[in-house]
Amino acid sequence: MEAEHSLRDCIGIIAAEISGAAQRPRREAELMLAERLGKDQLWLLTHQDERIACDETLREWTARRRAYEPLEYIFNRVSFYSQEFYIAPGALIPRPETELMIDRVLETVPADAGVTLCEVGVGSGAVSVVLAKHLPKARVIGVDISDDALGIARKNVERFGLEERIELRRSDLLDAVPERLDVLVSNPPYVAEDAVLEPNLDYEPALALFGGEKGTDVIERLVDAVREREIPVFVCEMGYDQRTAVERIVPAGYAVEFYRDLAGFDRGFVMERMG
């Protein structure tokens, strides 16, 4: 890219360079320019002849995206549940599908309930932050085995001023959580270890993606913890093909209900203790 182009040409140049990595290269080129210029989409549409400098930052971003790095990591921000969160390599990028998990929690737990809720695999902290905002009387504990993820989660907890409501701990599942829990929430690693993934996923932490040989190792450990500790409510995301595996491990005394994503695939379940 030369130093200066019309906005229209700059969009076209960036789109061409990232076309091998992006499903919607022109849209992503527009997002990159809007981010760099601090402008909105309407401004881009109405200033196509504006001449701009395709500076070093834009060249760097283009090269990173051409190498399949997700835009969220490039911009260090992600939109999730109508909020904006800090994100960086070291934590899984929150997906729209995980918003459905939050919906199930909020449908199951009364808004004024003074529950103790734990999120296993807190990652960026986005889920715990959203739940704390929607359940103002809840005590929230977020745990993760990754120090990098906990550092990112801490930034988001502080960004939303929830330090007094959300406690972050380093823990392998519930090892560092001796408290009695009312609600357990998790978007655990559930990808089978031999799965072939898209190149962009190489940038995301393997700890947050791979769940053992069949992908259900962590889910099984969490279900065991729910049974042993008699946790009343467990809401969990899962792989689209893992329903049968989950049905086989539902503990006695618990009922399970599965929910689907917007594409109609099984995406998670709510497990509740009966009686």
Side-chain angles (χ1 to χ4, degrees):
M1 291 185 293
E2 297 178 0
E4 191 171 286
H5 297 276
S6 69
L7 182 58
R8 179 184 294 102
D9 288 345
C10 199
I11 291 171
I13 292 168
I14 294 173
E17 292 206 20
I18 66 174
S19 60
Q23 290 185 339
R24 300 173 63 192
R26 184 173 181 84
R27 170 62 175 161
E28 290 197 11
E30 291 172 350
L31 290 172
M32 291 168 69
L33 283 162
E35 180 77 11
R36 181 61 181 142
L37 298 173
K39 303 293 186 180
D40 58 25
Q41 294 297 301
L42 179 60
W43 189 91
L44 291 183
L45 288 172
T46 56
H47 290 77
Q48 292 285 296
D49 294 323
E50 186 98 5
R51 298 192 68 77
I52 64 166
C54 291
D55 60 12
E56 182 62 31
T57 297
L58 278 172
R59 289 194 290 272
E60 177 196 343
W61 287 0
T62 300
R64 290 169 65 183
R65 186 64 187 118
R66 189 171 60 241
Y68 292 93
E69 184 172 354
L71 283 181
E72 290 87 350
Y73 286 156
I74 294 172
F75 297 161
N76 288 126
R77 63 181 179 86
V78 61
S79 178
F80 180 76
Y81 219 87
S82 301
Q83 302 286 334
E84 187 173 292
F85 293 88
Y86 172 79
I87 192 66
L92 194 73
I93 298 169
R95 303 314 204 260
E97 292 84 358
T98 304
E99 296 183 359
L100 302 174
M101 182 179 73
I102 292 176
D103 290 341
R104 294 307 179 276
V105 176
L106 298 180
E107 290 170 5
T108 306
V109 181
D112 60 350
V115 296
T116 298
L117 181 152
C118 180
E119 182 191 2
V120 169
V122 71
S124 67
V127 170
S128 284
V129 165
V130 171
L131 290 174
K133 288 169 66 70
H134 283 80
L135 300 171
K137 295 184 179 180
R139 176 192 179 193
V140 179
I141 303 169
V143 302
D144 207 292
I145 200 170
S146 165
D147 289 328
D148 289 340
L150 288 168
I152 294 165
R154 192 165 290 109
K155 286 180 180 290
N156 282 314
V157 169
E158 293 172 354
R159 171 179 286 195
F160 287 89
L162 291 168
E163 298 95 323
E164 300 299 317
R165 299 271 324 284
I166 301 175
E167 181 182 355
L168 299 174
R169 301 178 189 173
R170 189 181 190 280
S171 180
D172 180 12
L173 302 191
L174 296 176
D175 286 354
V177 187
E179 293 92 338
R180 179 190 177 279
L181 299 176
D182 302 297
V183 183
L184 181 63
V185 179
S186 185
N187 175 18
Y190 55 75
V191 177
E193 61 185 21
D194 62 350
V196 178
L197 302 181
E198 297 176 357
N200 61 292
L201 290 172
D202 289 340
Y203 289 89
E204 302 198 56
L207 275 174
L209 290 171
F210 296 102
E213 183 178 355
K214 297 180 181 179
T216 55
D217 287 8
V218 178
I219 293 175
E220 290 172 9
R221 291 177 62 197
L222 288 169
V223 170
D224 284 343
V226 168
R227 174 183 53 80
E228 292 170 3
R229 300 175 59 153
E230 298 182 338
I231 300 172
V233 176
F234 177 35
V235 184
C236 186
E237 190 167 313
M238 68 179 194
Y240 72 93
D241 58 351
Q242 295 172 344
R243 176 170 178 156
T244 300
V246 171
E247 288 175 329
R248 290 173 179 160
I249 60 174
V250 176
Y254 281 82
V256 65
E257 180 181 352
F258 294 88
Y259 64 85
R260 295 183 175 184
D261 60 23
L262 298 179
F265 295 108
D266 289 317
R267 184 54 58 194
F269 59 91
V270 180
M271 189 178 294
E272 290 189 81
R273 192 173 64 192
M274 298 182 291

